[in-house]
Amino acid sequence: MGSLLYSSSQTADIYPVSELFLRHRLQVVEELWESVLRQECGQNMVDLLRQLRDLCSPEGQATNDQASSAVKLIEQLNINEAIRAARAFALYFQLINIIEQEYEQRQQLSRYEAETEATDAERASNVNYSSNQREDDAPVSKGIAAELLRKSYLEKAQVKPKGTFAALFPYLFKLNVPPQQIQRLIAHLDVRLVFTAHPTEIVRHTIRDKQRQVVQLLQKLDALENHSGGTSGGYAWEAADVREQLLEEIRLWWRTDELHQFKPTVLDEVDYALHYFQEVLFDGIPQLYKRFKHTLSNTFPWLEPPSKNFCSFGSWVGSDRDGNPSVTPEITWKTACYQRKMVIGRYIQSVKNLIELLSVSMHWSDVLPDLLESLELDQSQLSEVYDALALRYRQEPYRLKLAYVLKRLENTRDRNLALYNRETPKNQDSPLYLSGADFLAELRMIQRNLTETGLSCRELENLICQVEIFGFNLTQLDIRQESSRHADALNEILEYLQILPQPYNELSEEQRVAWLTGELQTRRPLIPAELPFSEKTNDVIETFRVVRSLQQEFGLNICQTYIISMCRDVSDVLEVLLLAKEARLFDPAIAVGTIQVVPLFETVEDLQRSRSVMRKLFELPLYRALLAGGYEQTKTESAVVDENSSSPASPCLPLPPPASPAPPPTFPLPLPPSPPNLQEVMLGVF
């Protein structure tokens, strides 16, 4: 059988071990791909693709004659043949991408293991990687895919490789960075990754699942074969069986539509985004924390690791309404419920696993009084669980406790489903968890009992880490709206109320700021409960009201950021504060709010005058107090400043500086003072 990648003359080449893995995998996938095309489209299609390949350069630099010949060949195809050829190449390169990712992951894992096992000095020296890679790490195959992989690999080899935690901390130790500086930096770590909304996302879950299935089958094949293609981990028939499964999966993939046959809704977008949490992030982020903690303790065992939720997530999907009329207040509410449904479903499965795992018997292990007391309380609140399981788990307190926990989670899930559908929850008096903190408290009690009796459970520790990171909300929702929508809404409201002598939109910027500042000094309501306005104005008002409802149901953390796109002036920010005040998200009397307004300057002109706009905002006492946490906080800070300025300086130690205003919850926390080049060092390693 011919190959698109390899000629017969290559069989005599001597390849390093790591290259044999890549070469063999590419050959396996290509043979399977050709076999599928031969079955589905016939040998003529395979021959056609070979011709097109011969007319193309692996470097993408085909000559004019080659390009012209390829165009003529393509022009001879009818529409059905052209579609099949395009799909065949698309499938081919998706399969090649899977191989490339697997190969790169192997290389990264090898480097990480080498760094972890090295001594401190060796790990420090590993930060200064040489651009000269080992010979057995560089791909040398020929052909389209292999040449592209080789070029990509060599380009990456010329760039300083990214480091790992295992390389970073020994390097900081080698530079004699003060540990207290590192500790302050770690304590302030607040990484927030935000999923932005992309309505054009159309990749189907079905295709992603098939890609994942191909990866799993290839990994299974790796366990059964060595790099040279022989069997090492099993019988030859087992490897052949896995190849047959791969062939079946690729053939099913070929017959599957790549795209949806309908226009995705906003909730479809939400589902697409949550796919990454389901498959990767929900399990991956706790592993990131464990790796951070482990590598930190290897070099600085006396330093405290960061909080488990040092890396959290935000999302615009289902809440970004700038230019998307499909994102309504109701959709935002359903998005929050949808996220809670997903995360509680994962917790339910984890608790079921723990019930199977924690089979500790009171015959062989002590139990602390607080666990027994909680079981008595659970019995009174969830008698049906006690009646069903007390006999089975009469000597297994952890299983019985987790059965109560499971029932509360299921009740919480059922209530959330009713709220999603805007129905009145049934059995509202049923015991449930009103927040992730309540669930976390029970898990920690179980962990504490295990620890005090000399036991540990990694599954439980992992679940606790997930709850600390994701809670019941999974991600924070960021609201975003274009600035003119707020001005237009206020213009209609004020015209209806006949408060101003002229339309709001006709006021100058100075007049707007003056009126908004005055209105923000009072708690007097401006917007009536019933909304007799246009659909657009009602949507703006209802958006703020749904944020209030979200915070009441899910906690303040669910939604604290309101982004103003195309922000231009001070009035754009004050308009949002006024609308927030009407929804009881901001109390002007004490300057305390549960939402942070984020001006987004986007055009060149707006960016050039953003400094002036922000200076004017900071000069407003109301805005300064909001950032500081209220007027009382501002007074306290002023008193500290006055006391420090009037007190004599200490002859031994300088007086502490006044406390800075608390940053908005979604802004990056300020970095502590660092020694010269500390941040550059960290950025250089990562």
Side-chain angles (χ1 to χ4, degrees):
M1 178 186 296
S3 171
L4 291 182
L5 296 180
Y6 312 106
S7 63
S8 58
S9 62
Q10 287 179 277
T11 56
D13 292 345
I14 299 176
Y15 292 92
V17 175
S18 61
E19 172 55 23
L20 284 174
F21 162 76
L22 176 63
R23 179 174 180 260
H24 180 58
R25 280 292 162 263
L26 290 171
Q27 191 169 13
V28 167
V29 166
E30 183 189 344
E31 289 173 355
L32 294 171
W33 173 75
E34 284 188 4
S35 179
V36 167
L37 290 183
R38 191 172 292 106
Q39 294 172 359
E40 297 294 320
C41 307
Q43 183 63 40
N44 289 339
M45 177 60 67
V46 177
D47 295 339
L48 171 65
L49 298 177
R50 289 176 182 276
Q51 285 182 273
L52 289 173
R53 191 270 303 176
D54 291 339
L55 294 173
C56 298
S57 165
E59 302 295 328
Q61 300 294 328
T63 65
N64 292 334
D65 292 339
Q66 289 175 314
S68 177
S69 300
V71 170
K72 290 180 181 179
L73 186 59
I74 294 172
E75 287 177 344
Q76 295 175 3
L77 303 177
N78 60 43
I79 185 65
N80 290 329
E81 291 173 335
I83 291 175
R84 286 174 177 264
R87 290 192 74 232
F89 270 124
L91 175 60
Y92 173 72
F93 283 111
Q94 288 185 74
L95 292 170
I96 294 302
N97 285 340
I98 289 174
I99 299 298
E100 180 182 15
Q101 291 171 6
E102 283 292 296
Y103 181 73
E104 289 183 349
Q105 288 176 5
R106 280 175 173 262
Q107 299 295 328
Q108 292 171 1
L109 183 60
S110 298
R111 293 191 184 102
Y112 174 73
E113 290 175 348
E115 290 173 350
T116 303
E117 295 173 359
T119 62
D120 286 351
E122 290 171 340
R123 285 199 297 266
S125 64
N126 283 343
V127 177
N128 298 319
Y129 292 104
S130 171
S131 60
N132 298 320
Q133 301 293 324
R134 290 171 43 191
E135 182 181 358
D136 61 351
D137 284 339
V140 294
S141 298
K142 295 179 175 58
I144 293 178
E147 284 299 305
L148 290 176
L149 293 185
R150 182 188 64 80
K151 181 181 178 183
S152 172
Y153 189 92
L154 292 177
E155 288 177 349
K156 293 176 182 178
Q158 295 171 0
V159 181
K160 186 178 180 181
K162 302 297 183 183
T164 62
F165 292 138
L168 171 64
F169 294 119
Y171 188 52
L172 296 178
F173 183 85
K174 181 181 179 181
L175 294 179
N176 292 321
V177 177
Q180 59 270 29
Q181 299 277 3
I182 300 175
Q183 183 68 78
R184 285 206 298 268
L185 184 62
I186 291 174
H188 285 83
L189 273 179
D190 186 12
V191 181
R192 185 162 177 255
L193 307 176
V194 179
F195 282 76
T196 55
H198 290 286
T200 56
E201 173 61 67
I202 53 178
V203 179
R204 302 177 63 191
H205 283 331
T206 302
I207 298 300
R208 288 173 177 164
D209 292 340
K210 292 191 177 301
Q211 292 171 343
R212 189 173 295 105
Q213 181 67 14
V214 169
V215 170
Q216 292 172 355
L217 288 172
L218 286 171
Q219 291 173 345
K220 189 175 180 179
L221 193 61
D222 291 344
L224 296 171
E225 295 181 342
N226 59 29
H227 291 170
S228 60
T231 59
S232 62
Y235 296 104
W237 69 266
E238 292 178 311
D241 184 65
V242 173
R243 290 197 184 204
E244 285 297 321
Q245 294 180 54
L246 273 168
L247 181 64
E248 292 174 5
E249 194 64 38
I250 295 173
R251 193 171 184 182
L252 289 171
W253 187 350
W254 170 260
R255 293 198 185 188
T256 301
D257 285 329
E258 291 277 345
L259 308 178
H260 283 293
Q261 302 303 310
F262 60 90
K263 181 181 179 180
T265 66
V266 176
L267 290 178
D268 288 329
E269 284 184 64
V270 175
D271 185 61
Y272 300 154
L274 295 190
H275 174 86
Y276 296 102
F277 287 93
Q278 283 274 29
E279 302 298 336
V280 180
L281 298 172
F282 197 75
D283 294 320
I285 298 301
Q287 294 300 319
L288 176 68
Y289 169 78
K290 291 178 182 178
R291 182 174 296 179
F292 191 116
K293 180 180 178 181
H294 175 74
T295 53
L296 176 68
S297 64
N298 282 345
T299 307
F300 300 99
W302 59 90
L303 295 185
E304 291 292 328
S307 60
K308 293 184 176 66
N309 60 349
F310 77 92
C311 181
S312 60
F313 292 87
S315 177
W316 288 11
V317 187
S319 57
D320 176 16
R321 56 243 311 125
D322 183 12
N324 190 350
S326 299
V327 182
T328 63
E330 183 65 16
I331 288 295
T332 301
W333 173 266
K334 286 182 177 292
T335 297
C337 294
Y338 198 96
Q339 291 185 171
R340 184 158 64 179
K341 170 192 171 185
M342 178 264 178
V343 75
I344 289 179
R346 292 296 300 263
Y347 294 155
I348 286 175
Q349 186 57 51
S350 296
V351 170
K352 288 180 179 179
N353 294 338
L354 286 173
I355 290 176
E356 296 297 320
L357 185 63
L358 292 178
S359 56
V360 179
S361 171
M362 294 179 67
H363 288 302
W364 308 105
S365 180
D366 295 331
V367 178
L368 298 184
D370 62 341
L371 178 57
L372 298 177
E373 291 173 3
S374 72
L375 288 173
E376 292 180 3
L377 179 61
D378 292 334
Q379 178 183 348
S380 64
Q381 295 178 343
L382 293 164
S383 57
E384 69 276 17
V385 175
Y386 179 81
D387 295 339
L389 299 173
L391 183 61
R392 177 185 298 180
Y393 297 151
R394 63 184 182 277
Q395 295 298 330
E396 298 174 335
Y398 293 105
R399 281 182 162 175
L400 183 57
K401 178 61 184 178
L402 287 167
Y404 289 127
V405 170
L406 177 62
K407 184 60 178 178
R408 284 191 171 90
L409 280 175
E410 291 172 343
N411 290 341
T412 306
R413 176 199 59 195
D414 296 342
R415 178 179 180 274
N416 181 71
L417 178 60
L419 293 175
Y420 177 89
N421 295 321
R422 290 295 191 177
E423 300 172 351
T424 301
K426 300 178 181 179
N427 302 324
Q428 296 192 51
D429 296 332
S430 300
L432 47 80
Y433 295 116
L434 295 178
S435 68
D438 298 335
F439 176 47
L440 182 62
E442 296 220 90
L443 295 179
R444 284 175 172 166
M445 181 190 65
I446 296 173
Q447 183 187 45
R448 184 170 61 254
N449 273 259
L450 289 171
T451 303
E452 291 292 332
T453 56
L455 295 173
S456 63
C457 178
R458 292 191 178 185
E459 293 292 332
L460 177 60
E461 292 173 0
N462 189 63
L463 177 57
I464 288 174
C465 188
Q466 289 171 333
V467 178
E468 287 194 32
I469 294 170
F470 299 106
F472 277 177
N473 297 337
L474 190 64
T475 73
Q476 299 180 36
L477 294 176
D478 292 347
I479 306 294
R480 188 173 73 128
Q481 184 57 278
E482 202 266 332
S483 59
S484 65
R485 290 289 301 274
H486 310 124
D488 292 342
L490 280 177
N491 185 75
E492 183 175 351
I493 293 168
L494 296 176
E495 280 191 355
Y496 174 80
L497 298 175
Q498 297 184 353
I499 291 178
L500 296 177
Q502 65 185 107
Y504 175 80
N505 280 342
E506 295 180 5
L507 297 178
S508 66
E509 173 64 12
E510 291 74 15
Q511 290 173 321
R512 289 189 184 190
V513 172
W515 182 83
L516 290 167
T517 304
E519 192 65 28
L520 282 168
Q521 300 300 317
T522 174
R523 287 174 171 166
R524 178 189 62 200
L526 185 69
I527 301 175
E530 299 294 331
L531 302 179
F533 308 114
S534 66
E535 183 179 349
K536 282 190 173 182
T537 297
N538 289 345
D539 182 80
V540 171
I541 298 171
E542 290 290 355
T543 296
F544 286 91
R545 291 181 176 180
V546 82
V547 171
R548 170 73 173 173
S549 299
L550 287 171
Q551 292 184 352
Q552 289 177 323
E553 169 61 30
F554 295 84
L556 298 181
N557 197 47
I558 183 64
C559 185
Q560 292 182 306
T561 304
Y562 195 104
I563 302 169
I564 311 171
S565 59
M566 298 304 293
C567 186
R568 297 181 176 86
D569 296 303
V570 172
S571 61
D572 293 331
V573 176
L574 298 182
E575 288 164 0
V576 173
L577 281 179
L578 180 57
L579 293 168
K581 184 205 79 168
E582 293 297 312
R584 293 181 295 167
L585 296 169
F586 172 66
D587 188 341
I590 57 177
V592 173
T594 59
I595 191 169
Q596 296 295 338
V597 183
V598 180
L600 182 59
F601 302 96
E602 299 182 78
T603 69
V604 174
E605 295 78 9
D606 294 337
L607 285 168
Q608 289 173 342
R609 55 204 207 97
S610 61
R611 180 188 297 268
S612 172
V613 172
M614 295 308 300
R615 181 182 295 111
K616 292 176 182 177
L617 274 170
F618 293 143
E619 290 172 353
L620 294 175
L622 179 75
Y623 191 75
R624 289 204 312 273
L626 172 65
L627 297 181
Y631 287 122
E632 288 298 323
Q633 183 68 22
T634 304
K635 293 178 182 178
T636 302
E637 293 173 358
S638 298
V640 171
V641 173
D642 293 340
E643 180 181 349
N644 289 341
S645 60
S646 60
S647 302
S650 168
C652 300
L653 296 174
L655 290 170
S660 59
T666 57
F667 289 168
L669 291 169
L671 295 177
S674 58
N677 298 324
L678 174 57
Q679 294 181 35
E680 288 81 354
V681 168
M682 298 189 72
L683 290 174
V685 176
F686 285 91

